[in-house]
Amino acid sequence: MKQQVSLYSHPGVLLQKHLREVAKRVESFCEALALEKELRQAACLAALGHDLGKATTFFQKHLQGKNVSSRLSGHALLSAVLTTNLLARELSLPFKLSVFLAVRYHHGRPSNTGDALYLDKDKIQVLEEQVKGIPGEAFFNLLDSLGFSVPEELTFSPQAFKRTFFWEATDLVGDSDDLSLYFTTNLLLGMLVDADIRAVIGMDANEERAGIPNDIVDRYIQKLPKNSPIAPFREEFYRTVIDNIQKLGLENKFLSLTAPTGIGKTLAGFSAAVKLRHRIYKETGRLPRIIYVLPFTSIIDQNFSVIREVLTSADLGENIVLKHHFRASPAKSNSEIKAKDVWQLLEEGQILKERDAEKLLNYYEQAHTRVETWDGEVVVTTFVRFYETLFTNRRSEMRRLHRLAGGIVILDEVQNIPVEYWEVTEEALKFLAEKWDTRFILMTATRPALLPEAYELTQPRKEYFFKTLSRTALYVENKPYDYRNIESWLLPKVDGVKSFMVVMNTVRAAQEVYQLLKQACNFELYFLSASLIPKHREKRIDDIKNKLKEGIKIGLVATQVVEAGVDLDFDLVVRDFAPFDSIVQAAGRCNRNARGEKKGKIFLVRLINPEHQKRRLATYIYDSVLIGTTEELLQNQEIIPEKEYLHKVEEYFHKLRVEGRKAQDKNLLL
């Protein structure tokens, strides 16, 4: 009796089982996404065929530890060819090409499509030898078990395949100028890699999905203290946003939340996302994830803490929300410390208490995978991680892309997206909105000329919110000062105030001003910049908040790290010259809670380095177009009240985008 040949994917794991396990996870990914039928089919076919090349006798011997040529035991290219030819024959050419590329590169970094489609004589020869090394009966049984009809014998010619599919695909790539091929391929490859890893480590496609009560933020806000002078103003703002999101049609994929600093955008934006999530679930049956994106790690922990507090106030548990930034991506390690770090990043303290060190190590990969793939109901992350997910040729970053599909993405402090990337960002976000039903909420106090069609959630009260608040005024000084001569530009301004903040443009200048102030004034002084490690920076911000609440005389010297989203409230702010949106963001740290009857003062000064041909410090870090446009905007201006900030910001961004002063960079798509 003829012995049945068994084909394996990994030691002790049958190939058939592994392919089914990966396909099951990809199918589970797709169930939660609003993808067209053929795209879902393509994803599942890529999963079912991604390791077909392991059926060769060469790979099977390699798996047994025998000495086999790596050229012949390699399986990715062969798997891509077999999948495309045998499994994906009925797909249209664009999806067939994406399947080929996804399988081709599921073990390596993708190259450009032209290189992927180039098969030289050596590759053809290797493929032909590998095809001869496929045990026919066992292979046909494998395909049959996966649900595919098969020919009586394998009559596959790599050379003939090259003459048909590869030539057609090359023509397609040459004629295509949209984002479909790029994003479709990355989506398939990302889901395939994620499912492949999860199958190997025994992890489900998704953590257990959890509901978030529709009124969770409403109830949380009711418990907050109402002793701030602008508390009624914040309540009116919140009601306006919520009224708009509840009556808005789901066809609106782009929403905007533009409002003054300190008015409560974090809670209003998160509440809007939760209510939108409920509406989508009610009408489509899909439960979108909420991805909250912020520009800096310095404010991630602050916003993360607020959102986690909202969620835990309803006894949902801490593990419903996770954060992901550069400190949340530890390399694989066998150390107990690393394993604990990952679980702590997931805020799952109870797990740490219940599992001993050995079990922690066993679960390291699961925890790491959950963080890296945004496997949470709510994810708080950075613009860097967001852009790395959108524009990448790294498989590890692509694993997160399917979390964006059908999700609700909050882009907080959106003005921090570099001007030169606005156009390419719009193209990418519009693709995700149109093809994958992703929704975006843009939040800022200084709305850039980005996605102007976004529906404003503060209408019809947007102008009112900006004009009614009268907390600060901007004083523009044109005289240049030596930045080290603090007696001329700084000390007279801080005399008589209880608290102040100075924002410098370079770390070196900030450090020098800080040292000079320590010798010249009696304030308790603090220093903040990105040069401090995040843990120390976060603790220092908490210390500053507490001292401000206690009414202690305090001064802060900082770089731009404090401009966006940091909840600090000083009596006076001095800002070295900068692009206008940065100036307004710095102003948001002054008299934030409208304390007292007097307006907070923001002084805009022009600091120079006399040792470097009197060069302005602003030119060390800012683009000349941004600085020049700001100078033009502030020409002949001496005092600008807060109610005029909105129109000044709109005028500034209009000059940059609509008038085309800043060239657009599309290199992210190359």
Side-chain angles (χ1 to χ4, degrees), residues 128-362:
E128 289 176 342
E129 289 186 53
Q130 288 179 317
V131 170
K132 293 176 183 177
I134 296 176
E137 183 178 354
F139 187 67
F140 296 145
N141 289 337
L142 171 65
L143 293 179
D144 185 58
S145 69
L146 297 175
F148 295 95
S149 58
V150 294
E152 292 183 0
E153 60 182 54
L154 192 62
T155 57
F156 171 67
S157 166
Q159 188 65 50
F161 186 68
K162 176 182 177 180
R163 287 196 301 268
T164 54
F165 170 74
F166 280 87
W167 288 1
E168 292 175 0
T170 301
D171 290 341
L172 173 67
V173 173
D175 294 337
S176 176
D177 59 356
D178 62 22
L179 297 176
S180 296
L181 177 61
Y182 168 78
F183 276 121
T184 300
T185 300
N186 279 16
L187 180 71
L188 296 188
L189 180 51
M191 284 196 290
L192 174 56
V193 172
D194 193 17
D196 199 8
I197 291 174
R198 286 170 182 265
V200 172
I201 65 177
M203 188 175 182
D204 289 337
N206 301 289
E207 291 294 298
E208 184 177 350
R209 303 303 305 273
I212 301 175
N214 191 41
D215 63 345
I216 189 171
V217 183
D218 305 336
R219 287 186 275 130
Y220 176 81
I221 287 179
Q222 290 301 315
K223 299 176 183 178
L224 294 178
K226 306 292 191 298
N227 54 357
S228 170
I230 63 172
F233 197 70
R234 287 171 174 158
E235 290 178 8
E236 184 177 1
F237 162 73
Y238 182 81
R239 286 197 305 270
T240 300
V241 172
I242 299 310
D243 286 346
N244 274 318
I245 199 68
Q246 289 177 330
K247 68 184 181 183
L248 195 64
L250 289 183
E251 68 275 6
N252 292 279
K253 303 294 181 64
F254 295 103
L255 310 174
S256 176
L257 205 166
T258 310
T261 57
I263 199 172
K265 288 191 292 293
T266 298
L267 288 174
F270 183 61
S271 183
V274 170
K275 293 181 186 301
L276 180 58
R277 167 182 156 112
H278 270 262
R279 291 190 57 198
I280 293 172
Y281 179 69
K282 185 177 180 180
E283 296 188 26
T284 70
R286 291 184 293 102
L287 198 58
R289 298 174 191 269
I290 298 174
I291 314 294
Y292 197 120
V293 188
L294 293 150
F296 310 120
T297 56
S298 58
I299 57 176
I300 272 199
D301 288 323
Q302 172 184 292
N303 289 49
F304 176 82
S305 296
V306 171
I307 293 171
R308 184 179 60 183
E309 189 174 331
V310 171
L311 295 169
T312 55
S313 69
D315 297 324
L316 294 182
E318 295 181 344
N319 62 347
I320 197 172
V321 55
L322 62 85
K323 57 185 169 182
H324 183 233
H325 47 77
F326 76 96
R327 287 184 291 147
S329 302
K332 183 176 180 181
S333 168
N334 288 325
S335 73
E336 177 185 347
I337 294 176
K338 284 294 185 182
K340 286 186 177 179
D341 283 348
V342 176
W343 283 110
Q344 286 170 339
L345 288 167
L346 298 178
E347 306 299 329
E348 294 179 339
Q350 191 60 36
I351 292 178
L352 286 173
K353 294 175 184 176
E354 293 177 354
R355 289 181 176 155
D356 58 29
E358 183 178 352
K359 290 183 179 179
L360 273 172
L361 294 176
N362 292 337

Side-chain angles (χ1 to χ4, degrees), residues 5 26 61 69 86 97 171 223 290 426 438 450 622 635:
V5 176
V26 168
K61 290 179 180 178
S69 166
L86 299 177
L97 175 56
D171 290 341
K223 299 176 183 178
I290 298 174
E426 282 186 342
T438 307
L450 180 71
Y622 290 119
Q635 198 170 26

Side-chain angles (χ1 to χ4, degrees), residues 98 101 113 176 178-188 387-393 398 401 428 431 436 668-670:
S98 289
L101 295 172
T113 307
S176 176
D178 62 22
L179 297 176
S180 296
L181 177 61
Y182 168 78
F183 276 121
T184 300
T185 300
N186 279 16
L187 180 71
L188 296 188
Y387 274 83
E388 285 175 342
T389 304
L390 284 181
F391 307 107
T392 185
N393 67 340
M398 294 177 195
L401 184 58
F431 178 90
W436 299 350
L668 288 174
L669 291 175
L670 297 180

Side-chain angles (χ1 to χ4, degrees), residues 447-463:
R447 173 73 190 278
L450 180 71
L451 294 164
E453 69 270 29
Y455 180 88
E456 180 56 59
L457 291 173
T458 60
Q459 293 293 15
R461 309 287 280 170
K462 176 182 171 183
E463 296 277 347

Side-chain angles (χ1 to χ4, degrees), residues 504-520:
M504 304 294 293
N505 283 326
T506 68
V507 174
R508 178 181 174 183
Q511 290 171 334
E512 291 186 41
V513 168
Y514 171 73
Q515 294 298 331
L516 290 168
L517 276 171
K518 285 176 68 175
Q519 303 170 23

Side-chain angles (χ1 to χ4, degrees), residues 616-651:
R616 287 183 298 170
L617 299 186
T619 64
Y620 283 91
I621 62 169
Y622 290 119
D623 183 278
S624 60
V625 174
L626 306 184
I627 292 296
T629 302
T630 302
E631 288 181 323
E632 179 184 330
L633 188 73
L634 298 178
Q635 198 170 26
N636 301 320
Q637 300 280 327
E638 294 183 0
I639 303 176
I640 304 174
E642 183 175 0
K643 65 181 181 180
E644 295 182 16
Y645 292 173
L646 174 63
H647 291 305
K648 287 290 184 183
V649 167
E650 290 174 344
E651 183 181 351

